[in-house]
């Protein structure tokens, strides 16, 4: 089976390749075609945004495309940043800007029980004719008081999954993160759905 990767985020691409490579035997995952313009992710849901990316790449490559979209839901912030995780601190925000904004907004909340959060990923394979297979993965945890660890990307330094507490995603090896992460769970569910 040959799929084209729809993500333009190199950090996500590394994880996706590692997880899906271990889950689907004989899969060829082609890189995102460089000539395709950035996709405007203006959908209202993770699934809608995954679909926008998958459709653009499937149309351009005339091959099935694999897309994902991830949100971070923080209960104390009413579910923010949610689907706006990439640009939470502004249009050109860096990972560090987004982390700093979350920590500043949660400064007054000291009880970890009130700092509950979850990552949610929707993954999708979409064929040029419009057929789709969709799956979702969630990991529950809490937001730390400050950044911890050197690994990972995005909000990893401030997210502690329940499964590995007290270690943050940034304090896990790549394999440890992929085994329990939102993206790992979503991609393994997708692999099962594809096998069906
Ligand atoms: P996207 O919309 O799926 O590209 O992801 C939105 C943003 O969520 C990214 O820019 C990252 O800041 C954050 N993000 C996505 N996946 C992860 C992850 O596995 N760990 C930490 N942050 C992530």
């Amino acid at each position: 089976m040959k799929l084209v990767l729809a993500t333009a985020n190199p950090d996500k691409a590394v994880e996706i390749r590692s997880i899906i490579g271990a889950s689907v035997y004989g899969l060829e995952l082609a890189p995102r075609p460089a000539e395709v313009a950035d996709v405007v992710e203006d959908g209202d849901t993770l699934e809608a945004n995954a679909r926008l990316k998958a459709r653009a790449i499937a149309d351009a490559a005339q091959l099935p495309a694999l897309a994902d979209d991830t949100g971070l839901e923080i209960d104390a912030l009413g579910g923010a940043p949610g689907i706006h995780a990439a640009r939470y601190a502004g249009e050109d925000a860096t990972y560090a800007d987004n982390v700093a904004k979350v920590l500043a907004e949660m400064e007054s909340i000291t009880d970890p029980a009130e700092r509950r959060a979850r990552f949610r990923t929707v993954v999708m394979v979409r064929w040029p004719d419009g057929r789709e297979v969709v799956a979702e993965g969630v990991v529950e945890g809490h937001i730390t008081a400050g950044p911890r660890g050197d690994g990972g990307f995005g909000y990893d330094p401030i997210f502690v999954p329940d499964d590995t507490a007290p270690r943050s995603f940034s304090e896990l090896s790549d394999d440890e993160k992929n085994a329990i992460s939102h993206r790992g769970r979503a991609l393994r569910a997708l692999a099962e759905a594809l096998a069906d």
Side-chain angles (χ1 to χ4, degrees), residues 110-187:
T110 51
D111 182 353
E114 291 176 25
R115 297 175 70 95
R116 300 291 308 163
R118 67 207 54 77
F119 276 109
R120 190 183 302 278
T121 291
V122 171
V123 287
M124 173 183 304
V125 173
R126 186 178 164 102
W127 280 259
D129 65 8
R131 278 177 302 142
E132 290 178 349
V133 177
V134 183
E136 182 177 287
V138 179
V139 60
E140 295 281 343
H142 72 269
I143 301 296
T144 58
R148 293 215 306 256
D150 301 317
F153 67 98
Y155 298 91
D156 279 352
I158 60 166
F159 184 83
V160 172
D162 293 341
D163 311 72
T164 64
R167 290 184 298 159
S168 74
F169 262 157
S170 284
E171 295 174 303
L172 305 181
S173 70
D174 295 346
D175 285 348
E176 280 177 309
K177 179 182 173 188
N178 292 340
I180 57 153
S181 76
H182 45 303
R183 188 165 295 105
R185 287 174 174 158
L187 286 166

Side-chain angles (χ1 to χ4, degrees), residues 12-36:
K12 294 201 313 184
V14 167
E15 287 192 1
I16 291 168
R17 281 188 179 283
S18 167
I19 298 162
I20 200 91
S23 308
V24 183
Y25 179 72
L27 177 73
E28 185 187 341
L29 203 51
R32 186 184 193 280
E35 68 278 8
V36 181

Side-chain angles (χ1 to χ4, degrees), residues 53-149:
K53 290 181 268 195
R55 184 161 49 202
I57 300 303
D59 285 352
Q62 283 303 302
L63 283 169
L66 171 63
D68 81 307
D69 203 55
T70 295
L72 174 62
E73 304 163 0
I74 302 175
D75 293 346
L77 302 182
I83 64 169
H84 305 295
R87 289 169 206 84
Y88 192 46
E91 212 32 56
D92 298 317
T94 63
Y95 291 150
D97 295 335
N98 290 330
V99 162
K101 179 170 177 176
V102 165
L103 290 178
E105 288 179 333
M106 298 184 71
E107 208 176 356
S108 63
I109 306 166
T110 51
D111 182 353
E114 291 176 25
R115 297 175 70 95
R116 300 291 308 163
R118 67 207 54 77
F119 276 109
R120 190 183 302 278
T121 291
V122 171
V123 287
M124 173 183 304
V125 173
R126 186 178 164 102
W127 280 259
D129 65 8
R131 278 177 302 142
E132 290 178 349
V133 177
V134 183
E136 182 177 287
V138 179
V139 60
E140 295 281 343
H142 72 269
I143 301 296
T144 58
R148 293 215 306 256

